[in-house]
Amino acid sequence: MFDFLDGYDVLGAFWMTVKLTAVSAVGSLIWGTLLAAMRVSPVPLMRGFGTVYVNIVRNIPLTVIILFSSLGLADIFGMTMGSDDFDVQGFRLAVLGLVGYTAAFVCEAIRSGINTVPMGQAEAARAIGLSFTQTLTLVVLPQAFRSVIGPLANVLIALTKNTTVAAAIGVAEAAYLMKTMIENEAQTLLIGAVFAFGFVVLTLPTGLILGWLSKRLAVKR
């Protein structure tokens, strides 16, 4: 029944999806946290940059961002991303696009968590001489992260599914292989079912584990 899978590296394609997700998730968390810090910063220029970045990027389709990473940065500006290998370049450009896009949503999730921290705690931190950066990193962000594990889980699941857009620039992840198999085989429904099941296997445990973690680490007010 599944003889059509012979000769195709399905596990390798999903492994590429996992790598795209993992690397992009780390990058998005770092950049998104910095953007959230900018958005609550007392410096107007930083606040303005964070606001403009988030509002613009969130309203641009991910496909446009990924294609710009490839056609714009690589083809027009000649960025090699530190490698002459086409596959490595494609992977890194896809990660760059995914990080740039996903970080905007991570930023808003973290900012909502920052808003749940009582103002009195920040004022108390400043009263004992802590700077804005110290107050943010030592007092506010630890509580904010605990309150937004659920929303961040949703962003991570969306990121896992968004990796399929990387197929547009030739990254050999799951969606790219599925397209190739549909073109070559006559089992369209079964191929779709196999890849749909694969994404369920990737995303369902993530949602369950992070949902449990969110309840376990929730800040008691």
Side-chain angles (χ1 to χ4, degrees):
M1 182 177 181
F2 293 98
D3 292 342
F4 63 90
L5 295 177
D6 294 340
Y8 295 101
D9 188 10
V10 177
L11 291 180
F14 274 106
W15 176 238
M16 177 61 74
T17 295
V18 171
K19 288 194 294 184
L20 276 172
T21 301
V23 177
S24 300
V26 173
S28 298
L29 184 61
I30 295 172
W31 181 222
T33 302
L34 291 174
L35 285 171
M38 290 181 190
R39 294 211 64 182
V40 298
S41 169
V43 180
L45 182 61
M46 296 180 69
R47 277 203 316 274
F49 173 81
T51 301
V52 170
Y53 180 94
V54 169
N55 288 328
I56 290 178
V57 171
R58 283 196 309 170
N59 289 288
I60 298 176
L62 177 57
T63 304
V64 174
I65 294 176
I66 294 291
L67 288 176
F68 172 78
S69 297
S70 177
L71 300 177
L73 299 181
D75 295 347
I76 297 176
F77 296 106
M79 292 182 62
T80 62
M81 301 301 291
S83 175
D84 293 327
D85 185 275
F86 178 79
D87 293 334
V88 175
Q89 284 184 27
F91 177 84
R92 293 176 180 176
L93 287 168
V95 168
L96 182 64
L98 288 167
V99 168
Y101 179 78
T102 308
F105 296 90
V106 171
C107 167
E108 290 303 275
I110 294 175
R111 191 167 70 94
S112 69
I114 291 174
N115 290 336
T116 66
V117 179
M119 285 292 296
Q121 296 195 24
E123 293 171 355
R126 288 195 294 270
I128 62 174
L130 295 184
S131 65
F132 169 78
T133 302
Q134 290 173 321
T135 300
L136 190 66
T137 56
L138 299 177
V139 178
V140 177
L141 281 180
Q143 297 181 70
F145 276 118
R146 290 176 64 179
S147 65
V148 297
I149 294 176
L152 287 178
N154 293 332
V155 174
L156 178 59
I157 290 172
L159 172 61
T160 304
K161 294 182 288 186
N162 285 342
T163 57
T164 57
V165 179
I169 58 173
V171 179
E173 46 75 60
Y176 185 86
L177 180 61
M178 183 179 73
K179 177 177 177 292
T180 301
M181 291 176 64
I182 289 175
E183 290 173 351
N184 296 336
E185 306 294 336
Q187 303 286 347
T188 303
L189 291 179
L190 283 177
I191 292 172
V194 167
F195 282 89
F197 177 76
F199 276 100
V200 169
V201 169
L202 290 179
T203 57
L204 186 59
T206 300
L208 292 175
I209 293 171
L210 292 180
W212 171 81
L213 195 62
S214 175
K215 295 178 181 178
R216 186 71 181 270
L217 298 179
V219 179
K220 300 294 188 294
R221 302 294 185 190

